[in-house]
PDB file of all heavy atoms in Angstrom:
ATOM      1  N   MET A  28     -19.375  32.163-160.035  1.00 46.00           N
ATOM      2  CA  MET A  28     -18.851  30.931-160.611  1.00 46.00           C
ATOM      3  C   MET A  28     -19.349  29.728-159.820  1.00 46.00           C
ATOM      4  O   MET A  28     -19.335  29.736-158.602  1.00 46.00           O
ATOM      5  CB  MET A  28     -17.327  30.911-160.563  1.00 46.00           C
ATOM      6  CG  MET A  28     -16.659  31.801-161.574  1.00 46.00           C
ATOM      7  SD  MET A  28     -14.883  31.510-161.461  1.00 46.00           S
ATOM      8  CE  MET A  28     -14.584  31.141-163.147  1.00 46.00           C
ATOM      9  N   GLN A  33     -15.509  18.169-158.572  1.00 42.00           N
ATOM     10  CA  GLN A  33     -14.357  17.833-157.752  1.00 42.00           C
ATOM     11  C   GLN A  33     -14.331  18.695-156.489  1.00 42.00           C
ATOM     12  O   GLN A  33     -14.060  18.210-155.410  1.00 42.00           O
ATOM     13  CB  GLN A  33     -13.077  18.025-158.559  1.00 42.00           C
ATOM     14  CG  GLN A  33     -11.852  17.499-157.849  1.00 42.00           C
ATOM     15  CD  GLN A  33     -10.623  17.602-158.719  1.00 42.00           C
ATOM     16  OE1 GLN A  33     -10.604  18.339-159.699  1.00 42.00           O
ATOM     17  NE2 GLN A  33      -9.602  16.861-158.374  1.00 42.00           N
ATOM     18  N   TYR A  48      -6.490  -4.332-150.731  1.00 94.00           N
ATOM     19  CA  TYR A  48      -6.910  -5.712-150.515  1.00 94.00           C
ATOM     20  C   TYR A  48      -6.805  -6.024-149.025  1.00 94.00           C
ATOM     21  O   TYR A  48      -5.742  -5.877-148.431  1.00 94.00           O
ATOM     22  CB  TYR A  48      -6.027  -6.672-151.318  1.00 94.00           C
ATOM     23  CG  TYR A  48      -6.206  -6.471-152.796  1.00 94.00           C
ATOM     24  CD1 TYR A  48      -5.365  -5.623-153.504  1.00 94.00           C
ATOM     25  CD2 TYR A  48      -7.240  -7.099-153.479  1.00 94.00           C
ATOM     26  CE1 TYR A  48      -5.543  -5.415-154.862  1.00 94.00           C
ATOM     27  CE2 TYR A  48      -7.428  -6.904-154.835  1.00 94.00           C
ATOM     28  CZ  TYR A  48      -6.570  -6.050-155.517  1.00 94.00           C
ATOM     29  OH  TYR A  48      -6.745  -5.840-156.856  1.00 94.00           O
ATOM     30  N   ASN A  74      -4.227  -4.341-144.531  1.00 96.00           N
ATOM     31  CA  ASN A  74      -4.575  -4.237-145.944  1.00 96.00           C
ATOM     32  C   ASN A  74      -3.379  -3.728-146.722  1.00 96.00           C
ATOM     33  O   ASN A  74      -2.444  -3.160-146.174  1.00 96.00           O
ATOM     34  CB  ASN A  74      -5.865  -3.441-146.210  1.00 96.00           C
ATOM     35  CG  ASN A  74      -5.724  -1.970-146.005  1.00 96.00           C
ATOM     36  OD1 ASN A  74      -4.798  -1.339-146.497  1.00 96.00           O
ATOM     37  ND2 ASN A  74      -6.664  -1.398-145.281  1.00 96.00           N
ATOM     38  N   THR A  77      -0.889  -1.722-154.256  1.00 93.00           N
ATOM     39  CA  THR A  77       0.389  -1.475-154.928  1.00 93.00           C
ATOM     40  C   THR A  77       0.991  -0.150-154.484  1.00 93.00           C
ATOM     41  O   THR A  77       2.182   0.069-154.649  1.00 93.00           O
ATOM     42  CB  THR A  77       0.238  -1.478-156.457  1.00 93.00           C
ATOM     43  OG1 THR A  77      -0.735  -0.493-156.814  1.00 93.00           O
ATOM     44  CG2 THR A  77      -0.180  -2.845-156.977  1.00 93.00           C
ATOM     45  N   GLY A  79       0.254   1.351-151.162  1.00 97.00           N
ATOM     46  CA  GLY A  79       0.320   1.589-149.726  1.00 97.00           C
ATOM     47  C   GLY A  79       0.046   0.355-148.901  1.00 97.00           C
ATOM     48  O   GLY A  79      -0.386  -0.681-149.411  1.00 97.00           O
ATOM     49  N   ARG A  90       4.075  11.501-139.182  1.00 92.00           N
ATOM     50  CA  ARG A  90       4.036  11.491-140.640  1.00 92.00           C
ATOM     51  C   ARG A  90       5.461  11.665-141.172  1.00 92.00           C
ATOM     52  O   ARG A  90       6.242  12.433-140.634  1.00 92.00           O
ATOM     53  CB  ARG A  90       3.148  12.629-141.112  1.00 92.00           C
ATOM     54  CG  ARG A  90       2.915  12.663-142.578  1.00 92.00           C
ATOM     55  CD  ARG A  90       2.052  13.868-142.932  1.00 92.00           C
ATOM     56  NE  ARG A  90       1.967  13.963-144.364  1.00 92.00           N
ATOM     57  CZ  ARG A  90       0.864  13.807-145.047  1.00 92.00           C
ATOM     58  NH1 ARG A  90      -0.271  13.594-144.423  1.00 92.00           N
ATOM     59  NH2 ARG A  90       0.871  13.898-146.344  1.00 92.00           N
ATOM     60  N   ARG A  93      10.344   6.837-142.126  1.00 92.00           N
ATOM     61  CA  ARG A  93      10.683   5.734-143.033  1.00 92.00           C
ATOM     62  C   ARG A  93      10.478   4.415-142.296  1.00 92.00           C
ATOM     63  O   ARG A  93      10.897   4.265-141.153  1.00 92.00           O
ATOM     64  CB  ARG A  93      12.138   5.822-143.481  1.00 92.00           C
ATOM     65  CG  ARG A  93      12.448   7.039-144.291  1.00 92.00           C
ATOM     66  CD  ARG A  93      11.877   6.896-145.689  1.00 92.00           C
ATOM     67  NE  ARG A  93      12.118   8.112-146.437  1.00 92.00           N
ATOM     68  CZ  ARG A  93      12.466   8.128-147.703  1.00 92.00           C
ATOM     69  NH1 ARG A  93      12.575   7.016-148.379  1.00 92.00           N
ATOM     70  NH2 ARG A  93      12.660   9.263-148.323  1.00 92.00           N
ATOM     71  N   THR A 115       5.502   6.800-143.679  1.00 95.00           N
ATOM     72  CA  THR A 115       4.199   6.937-143.038  1.00 95.00           C
ATOM     73  C   THR A 115       3.461   8.174-143.542  1.00 95.00           C
ATOM     74  O   THR A 115       4.066   9.207-143.791  1.00 95.00           O
ATOM     75  CB  THR A 115       4.331   7.013-141.509  1.00 95.00           C
ATOM     76  OG1 THR A 115       5.159   8.115-141.158  1.00 95.00           O
ATOM     77  CG2 THR A 115       4.887   5.732-140.935  1.00 95.00           C
ATOM     78  N   GLY A 124      -0.701   3.983-141.762  1.00 97.00           N
ATOM     79  CA  GLY A 124      -0.647   3.807-143.204  1.00 97.00           C
ATOM     80  C   GLY A 124       0.657   4.347-143.738  1.00 97.00           C
ATOM     81  O   GLY A 124       1.143   5.386-143.289  1.00 97.00           O
ATOM     82  N   ARG A 126       2.928   4.975-147.471  1.00 97.00           N
ATOM     83  CA  ARG A 126       3.038   4.943-148.929  1.00 97.00           C
ATOM     84  C   ARG A 126       4.229   4.055-149.262  1.00 97.00           C
ATOM     85  O   ARG A 126       5.305   4.182-148.676  1.00 97.00           O
ATOM     86  CB  ARG A 126       3.268   6.360-149.453  1.00 97.00           C
ATOM     87  CG  ARG A 126       3.478   6.417-150.952  1.00 97.00           C
ATOM     88  CD  ARG A 126       3.730   7.810-151.454  1.00 97.00           C
ATOM     89  NE  ARG A 126       4.698   8.474-150.583  1.00 97.00           N
ATOM     90  CZ  ARG A 126       4.619   9.735-150.216  1.00 97.00           C
ATOM     91  NH1 ARG A 126       3.625  10.489-150.611  1.00 97.00           N
ATOM     92  NH2 ARG A 126       5.536  10.265-149.433  1.00 97.00           N
ATOM     93  N   GLY A 131       9.727  -5.669-152.915  1.00 96.00           N
ATOM     94  CA  GLY A 131      10.257  -6.837-153.622  1.00 96.00           C
ATOM     95  C   GLY A 131      10.040  -8.096-152.805  1.00 96.00           C
ATOM     96  O   GLY A 131       9.895  -8.038-151.584  1.00 96.00           O
TER      97      GLY A 131
END
Side-chain angles (χ1 to χ4, degrees):
M28 285 185 126
Q33 189 175 18
Y48 295 93
N74 73 49
T77 57
R90 185 182 174 115
R93 296 286 177 140
T115 58
R126 177 181 45 220

